[in-house]
Amino acid sequence: MTHTAVITGGNKGIGADLAQALLARDYTVVSISRHAPEFTHTRLFSVEADLLDPQAVAEAAAQVAANHEVTHLIHNAGLIWPNLIEEAEPSDITGLAQLHLGSALTLLKAFLPAMKARRFGRVMFNGSRAALGAPTRTAYGATKAGMIGMARTWALELAPHGITVNVVAPGPILTDNFWGIVEKDSPQQQALAQRIPVGRIGRVDDVTRAFLFFCDPENSFVTGQTLYVCGGASVGSLQI
């Protein structure tokens, strides 16, 4: 069986690292993101779309479904939009709900007929340790927690069709999103690393390896689960 993985936000960071890992395993990969990946491959395709825009997501989903038989959906794209309660707005929640939840639903509905016909599929979310709570994460924490509930619901509905649904929930990972909040190589970054039980901040390859486990066709007996890739930060409190 050949495999085609759609990765939202597959152009950089965790998404790009995972895309290259899957390409090395003979997958076809389709990146859906605002910008094309900076690397090329004969089995890498790019669809540019803003996942904050429901219409753009619907058009991208239809385009990919018409040209590819998708077996894996990895919803990796995300934004943080950090704000204390006093500065947070309801529009923050609705915006990130579209990005983190609504776009995933639109994409899955487009790819589900092919998955059901094959009686095989792998659906994954890039969640967050912040789903357990973190200062300034009203909208982000709420919508990342929503991923867990939605994934568990989908897991129950899709298990009879050979489709698993799981969440990888990273803690602090050295990506552009992280450095958009914490200055690179700053004392704040060093102090944060010291507060993580394993004594360091995560790398993109730490997260990629977790996704590869859930991607594996042989791992058909694990569904509806959330795997925290956080160096132990999910066990106790962590403030960024």
Side-chain angles (χ1 to χ4, degrees):
M1 178 188 293
T2 59
H3 298 104
T4 297
V6 169
I7 305 176
T8 63
N11 61 318
K12 63 181 182 178
I14 293 168
D17 192 70
L18 177 58
Q20 291 176 84
L22 291 176
L23 289 165
R25 288 161 174 77
D26 295 327
Y27 282 62
T28 295
V29 175
V30 182
S31 169
I32 302 179
S33 54
R34 286 181 293 181
H35 306 287
E38 295 180 356
F39 59 98
T40 60
H41 193 285
T42 55
R43 282 181 278 102
L44 174 65
F45 300 87
S46 175
V47 175
E48 295 183 31
D50 184 353
L51 299 186
L52 287 165
D53 180 347
Q55 184 59 37
V57 178
E59 292 172 0
Q63 178 183 339
V64 175
N67 291 287
H68 301 276
E69 189 172 324
V70 177
T71 56
H72 293 59
L73 170 60
I74 301 113
H75 187 41
N76 162 75
L79 292 171
I80 296 177
W81 292 357
N83 275 313
L84 292 169
I85 294 168
E86 289 82 358
E87 285 76 45
E89 297 292 343
S91 58
D92 297 340
I93 297 173
T94 54
L96 291 189
Q98 161 57 28
L99 174 60
H100 294 154
L101 303 172
S103 63
L105 176 60
T106 298
L107 292 168
L108 180 62
K109 288 173 69 173
F111 308 149
L112 200 52
M115 290 185 183
K116 285 186 173 181
R118 278 198 180 202
R119 295 196 58 78
F120 172 82
R122 296 286 181 266
V123 179
M124 287 148 278
F125 288 92
N126 190 348
S128 174
R129 182 257 169 227
L132 301 176
T136 75
R137 301 294 192 270
T138 291
Y140 184 75
T143 53
K144 289 293 187 174
M147 284 182 170
I148 296 172
M150 195 158 75
R152 288 167 68 90
T153 298
W154 289 1
L156 292 172
E157 290 190 23
L158 299 178
H161 302 280
I163 301 167
T164 64
V165 186
N166 292 288
V167 180
V168 174
I173 304 295
L174 297 174
T175 63
D176 289 342
N177 261 354
F178 175 81
W179 287 313
I181 297 171
V182 177
E183 184 181 349
K184 191 172 185 178
D185 299 326
S186 65
Q188 183 184 5
Q189 178 177 319
Q190 296 170 10
L192 174 59
Q194 292 171 359
R195 294 199 300 273
I196 295 173
V198 301
R200 69 173 175 89
I201 296 172
R203 302 182 303 266
V204 293
D205 60 297
D206 293 315
V207 184
T208 288
R209 282 188 291 273
F211 274 116
L212 290 175
F213 173 82
F214 289 127
C215 283
D216 192 334
E218 297 298 319
N219 292 331
S220 60
F221 202 59
V222 181
T223 194
Q225 303 305 304
T226 299
L227 174 58
Y228 288 94
V229 181
C230 62
S234 60
V235 179
S237 63
L238 176 69
Q239 293 190 12
I240 299 177

